[in-house]
Amino acid sequence: MQRISGIKRYIETHFGMVLLGGCVLGLVMPGMEKLPNYTAVVVLALLMFISCYRLEGGGFAAMRWKDVTIFWFCRYGLLPVALWLVASVVVPQYAVGVFLLSVVPAGVSSPAIASFYGGLVAPGFAIVILSQLATPLLIPLQFALLGHLGAGTATEVVPSPVDLFLTMVWCIFVPITVFLCVRKQVRLAAYVRRQNTFFSMLLIAFVIAMAIAKQRDILLSHIPDMLVALVVTVLCFTAFMVAAWVFAWKLERAERITFSVCSAFNNAALGVSLALLHFSAPIILFVAVSEIAWACLPMLFGFFLRRV
């Protein structure tokens, strides 16, 4: 029992190592790539349900929706174009990949992750919901814009709005609805709050492991390209983080943390799915590697917070 408590305590206090462990598990665990894709949806829904129990510390009453909306426009409308322009000059072979990584919405796990660093959950939920709602229309429009700007390598990407909306319903609205139905269950609430961090970390690590496992063959057969892509994706996530912090510099520190986390910890798994459906091998590799960079984000974000 003491050993189990020690393992649990380690998992709760070593977020970055747990996520890197998820990457390793995805690379070596046989059979994990055979899990059906909807497994990730179930896991993300559970994570959202658990995150709901953190809302009571600060609800939506004090939410400044104007700030969230302006942030959404700058982060998902303007920043992707700016990063694509830079990447077109520096790493033209990955410019479209940079754009794709920039336009995918905030990950459903970002409110839970923000709370780990002292951020507020309510703005995180608002950013997730707004960015997810806009995704079915925004991503096709943005790639149409990319083609208009002269991206000869850009492929037409038209993800199914119905599929994206259904994913959003299962990952966000269903768990919130279930939470509203059971939130008065005192014993359940006490248990979930007590185990919140532990369960959240395990669920996030599992999603990463599953995404890596599904791209294992591509990753292991392109090691040199993978290293270059890893550097570029880390720089992308750093740009997401810093841009959000600068945007929110007038807000309280807890809100700045939330904006930065939601900006950086995006739905990289959605990017992988879109890449597999619509893009060439180099872009698939680039977006798959982004899952490894995503797993390094806790350490990168912790380093960033200690210096701001």
Side-chain angles (χ1 to χ4, degrees), residues 84 86-97 153 283:
W84 172 75
V86 174
S88 297
V89 176
V90 181
V91 281
Q93 71 274 28
Y94 292 135
V96 176
T153 57
I283 303 303

Side-chain angles (χ1 to χ4, degrees), residues 39-262:
T39 304
V41 175
V42 174
V43 174
L44 291 174
L46 286 172
L47 183 59
M48 182 62 72
F49 174 76
I50 291 171
S51 299
C52 287
Y53 282 91
R54 299 179 182 270
L55 276 175
E56 294 181 358
F60 288 94
M63 273 297 303
R64 291 191 287 267
W65 283 96
K66 180 181 177 181
D67 292 338
V68 171
T69 304
I70 295 174
F71 167 76
W72 166 80
F73 176 74
C74 294
R75 167 62 181 84
Y76 300 101
L78 301 181
L79 185 61
V81 176
L83 292 180
W84 172 75
L85 290 172
V86 174
S88 297
V89 176
V90 181
V91 281
Q93 71 274 28
Y94 292 135
V96 176
V98 169
F99 190 80
L100 175 60
L101 192 62
S102 304
V103 299
V104 292
V108 295
S109 60
S110 52
I113 296 171
S115 68
F116 296 158
Y117 294 101
L120 302 178
V121 174
F125 269 92
I127 294 169
V128 167
I129 291 171
L130 181 58
S131 62
Q132 293 275 355
L133 279 172
T135 294
L137 293 176
L138 187 63
I139 288 182
L141 287 174
Q142 285 172 305
F143 273 94
L145 172 64
L146 195 66
H148 180 71
L149 290 175
T153 57
T155 307
E156 184 179 1
V157 178
V158 187
S160 167
V162 174
D163 290 344
L164 288 170
F165 180 74
L166 289 176
T167 300
M168 182 188 65
V169 167
W170 285 108
C171 290
I172 299 177
F173 294 120
V174 168
I176 290 177
T177 302
V178 173
F179 166 73
L180 292 174
C181 294
V182 303
R183 62 177 178 171
K184 293 184 179 180
Q185 298 291 327
V186 178
R187 294 178 64 181
L188 175 63
Y191 179 77
V192 174
R193 290 194 189 98
R194 190 167 59 249
Q195 306 294 341
N196 205 304
T197 301
F198 176 68
F199 286 152
S200 295
M201 287 192 176
L202 289 182
L203 291 171
I204 294 168
F206 178 84
V207 170
I208 290 176
M210 182 178 169
I212 293 293
K214 286 184 174 292
Q215 313 305 320
R216 183 188 300 153
D217 293 340
I218 297 176
L219 293 173
L220 295 181
S221 61
H222 295 80
I223 299 296
D225 292 336
M226 185 183 77
L227 294 177
V228 174
L230 182 61
V231 172
V232 176
T233 54
V234 168
L235 291 175
C236 285
F237 285 119
T238 302
F240 302 159
M241 181 193 314
V242 173
W245 191 269
V246 172
F247 169 86
W249 71 276
K250 289 185 178 180
L251 304 179
E252 296 293 331
R253 183 177 177 83
E255 290 183 275
R256 279 181 282 170
I257 289 173
T258 299
F259 277 80
S260 291
V261 166
C262 290

